Amino acid sequence: MIEIFNLKNIMILLGAFICSALVGRLVLPQLKRLNAGQSIRDDGPSSHLVKEGTPTMGGIIFLLTLCLGIPVFGLLNIEGLLLIFSTLAFGLVGFFDDYIKVVKKRNLGFTALQKLLCQIIIAFVLVFVQSKSKELSTEIIVPFIQSRWDLGAFYIPFIIFVVVGTVNSVNLTDGLDGLSSSITITVAIFFALAAHALNHPTIGSFALLLVGSLAGFLVYNKYPAKVFMGDTGSLALGGAVAAMAVLLQLPLLLPLAGGIYFMETLSVILQVLSFKLTGKRIFLMSPLHHHYEQKGWHEKKVVKAFVLTSILLCVLAYLFLIYGVVR
């Protein structure tokens, strides 16, 4: 594990952090000038009303850093290109949605169906290119039984489901200052360690580039946030996380390492089903982070608890990987 912290990777972490923090100083005034302020939902927590007008679309900050870092650190092989494609393509969907709603001041951006179709197309391109590349495998690792499965004809639809589900799960997690960015830092560290263990240096370097970029973004996104990442950032992060899991053949470990994302999604699904079937709600509010806010937790406490949980889940996922696959 110590070998991952070599000079190159330390430079990636520090360089991405400094670059992201500097880019933030340049981008934030531009977002304010565009009047790209966040609208707060009427049915959300009342404590969030003070955030009305906070600049959004801040995901541009770490996306610009990633775009600079990919060529600078020599990550332009097939893995690096697919990683940045997935990140930027999903981020672009989020950007157009944010731009329509926030800058053009239209209440609705993309419809849910339009957004879903865009996500499916991007996921298909990702998995199609991967499946046709001689350098990349389409098997998936089953760490619990120390095996690898070739899903054959089911591989493409399965991976599309994983990618689209992950992207939307990360999107749902972006509801508190610093929550999605902090959770994704812990998940990206897991993927950096997993990539090192599985001998995928490009993916490991990309994961560390993402960690540094998000750490720099947190300078502005931590409580009280000066900027929100918006769909521009949250969909991009979902694309990055999903692509790392797919290229490392670890989609079956993703629900564990990214457990917070999936608990947030499950809380929304259960809430909707319960209300439609019984007329009663399971949670005080969904996604899950709002439930704890309604119970009286300060959002800083919610973020700390969720990040700690994410760290524990990532440690558990790494142990499954090391003792179930590598050995």
Side-chain angles (χ1 to χ4, degrees):
M1 184 184 299
I2 296 176
E3 294 176 4
I4 194 175
F5 296 107
N6 55 39
L7 180 59
K8 178 184 177 182
N9 287 340
I10 291 173
M11 288 178 62
I12 289 174
L13 277 171
L14 292 178
F17 171 77
I18 293 169
C19 182
S20 188
L22 291 176
V23 169
R25 292 179 66 87
L26 298 174
V27 169
L28 190 54
Q30 301 304 318
L31 294 177
K32 291 179 179 178
R33 192 170 291 115
L34 282 173
N35 196 26
Q38 177 71 47
S39 298
I40 304 300
R41 290 167 41 199
D42 293 335
D43 57 347
S46 58
S47 60
H48 287 207
L49 294 177
V50 296
K51 301 181 181 185
E52 183 84 33
T54 301
T56 187
M57 299 170 67
I60 293 171
I61 295 170
F62 55 80
L63 288 178
L64 286 174
T65 303
L66 288 173
C67 288
L68 290 171
I70 288 287
V72 167
F73 294 108
L75 308 181
L76 291 174
N77 56 22
I78 183 65
E79 287 182 332
L81 292 174
L82 283 177
L83 287 166
I84 199 64
F85 163 76
S86 182
T87 305
L88 292 181
F90 283 110
L92 193 61
V93 174
F95 173 80
F96 282 124
D97 196 42
D98 283 338
Y99 188 82
I100 293 169
K101 290 186 294 187
V102 178
V103 178
K104 292 298 184 180
K105 306 300 180 185
R106 300 176 190 169
N107 291 333
L108 294 175
F110 286 150
T111 65
L113 180 59
Q114 288 172 334
K115 190 181 291 187
L116 180 61
L117 287 175
C118 288
Q119 292 172 355
I120 291 173
I121 291 170
I122 295 168
F124 175 79
V125 172
L126 172 67
V127 68
F128 181 79
V129 174
Q130 182 213 11
S131 65
K132 295 300 180 181
S133 172
K134 295 180 180 179
E135 302 174 44
L136 303 175
S137 173
T138 56
E139 295 180 329
I140 61 172
I141 292 173
V142 188
F144 318 104
I145 60 174
Q146 300 185 17
S147 178
R148 297 173 187 262
W149 288 352
D150 187 344
L151 298 181
F154 294 102
Y155 182 77
I156 289 181
F158 173 71
I159 295 300
I160 289 175
F161 173 78
V162 168
V163 172
V164 173
T166 301
V167 168
N168 287 288
S169 294
V170 177
N171 182 240
L172 284 173
T173 307
D174 181 36
L176 299 178
D177 295 358
L179 178 59
S180 188
S181 43
S182 298
I183 296 299
T184 305
I185 284 175
T186 67
V187 174
I189 291 173
F190 161 76
F191 280 122
L193 294 171
H196 178 71
L198 296 171
N199 195 28
H200 286 268
T202 298
I203 300 176
S205 295
F206 176 85
L208 293 176
L209 183 62
L210 183 61
V211 170
S213 301
L214 286 174
F217 175 69
L218 265 176
V219 172
Y220 309 99
N221 186 236
K222 66 183 180 180
Y223 181 88
K226 298 181 180 67
V227 65
F228 302 137
M229 68 173 64
D231 282 0
T232 304
S234 60
L235 293 183
L237 291 184
V241 169
M244 286 189 289
V246 170
L247 295 178
L248 286 171
Q249 305 169 259
L250 294 176
L252 297 184
L253 267 184
L254 186 53
L256 180 58
I260 293 295
Y261 303 140
F262 294 97
M263 284 190 281
E264 295 272 38
T265 302
L266 185 61
S267 70
V268 173
I269 293 172
L270 291 176
Q271 186 87 322
V272 172
L273 288 176
S274 177
F275 188 74
K276 286 185 176 295
L277 295 175
T278 68
K280 297 180 180 180
R281 292 179 171 86
I282 299 173
F283 304 101
L284 297 176
M285 187 178 290
S286 65
L288 190 60
H289 54 263
H290 288 327
H291 170 77
Y292 287 102
E293 280 193 290
Q294 294 298 97
K295 288 175 69 70
W297 289 27
H298 191 279
E299 67 177 280
K300 288 174 66 176
K301 181 179 179 181
V302 178
V303 171
K304 288 178 182 178
F306 277 40
V307 170
L308 178 59
T309 303
S310 182
I311 291 171
L312 294 174
L313 290 172
C314 286
V315 169
L316 186 58
Y318 184 71
L319 292 176
F320 269 122
L321 176 66
I322 294 300
Y323 293 101
V325 177
V326 177
R327 294 191 178 185

